[in-house]
Amino acid sequence: MAARGRTRWWLLAAILAVPALVLVWVVVTVVRAATSDYPLGGAPEKVSCAQALEFGGGKLPEKAYDTRCTVQSWMDTTYDAEFRMPRTDVRAWLSETYPNGPKPGTDQCDPGADLCVNMESPEIPPPPGAYADAVTVNVTYEGPDRALVRFSAFTE
């Protein structure tokens, strides 16, 4: 009887497993990209509203409520804040928060907004100390006593 050589079956199995693993990785990546709104990462994450407004050089109003704030970061960073506050305090808060900013008005507001402030051009930059390149604040009056504020600060 002839002597049998030592078969290196484990080496053959490893060589065959590499293409199979690459194929599985490709399929998972394609499925993830096809089913995700954020295939490369950067999905919105909850943050404190103080952090969100600070990014845009502002502070949350003392009487703010129903606060919801997020950050989204991948290539650029965007902080969004949404909160309600007394309608009578809105103009004072905007003037105090952005004393060197443009006067609150209706020019360049989002659809449905009653009042806004936009600081996103070289002529009207965000305030000193802001990390954002641009800040927008849109206010929608929800009745005689309440205002919904939508704040966005982002890098470009």
Side-chain angles (χ1 to χ4, degrees), residues 98-139:
Y98 300 112
N100 297 325
K103 299 279 185 234
T106 56
D107 194 30
Q108 298 180 348
C109 291
D110 285 353
D114 297 301
L115 186 67
C116 65
V117 171
N118 289 295
M119 293 171 280
E120 56 183 317
S121 66
E123 299 84 37
I124 308 171
Y131 301 100
D133 295 325
V135 175
T136 61
V137 181
N138 284 280
V139 180

Side-chain angles (χ1 to χ4, degrees), residues 12-22:
L12 180 61
I15 290 171
L16 293 176
V18 169
L21 290 174
V22 169

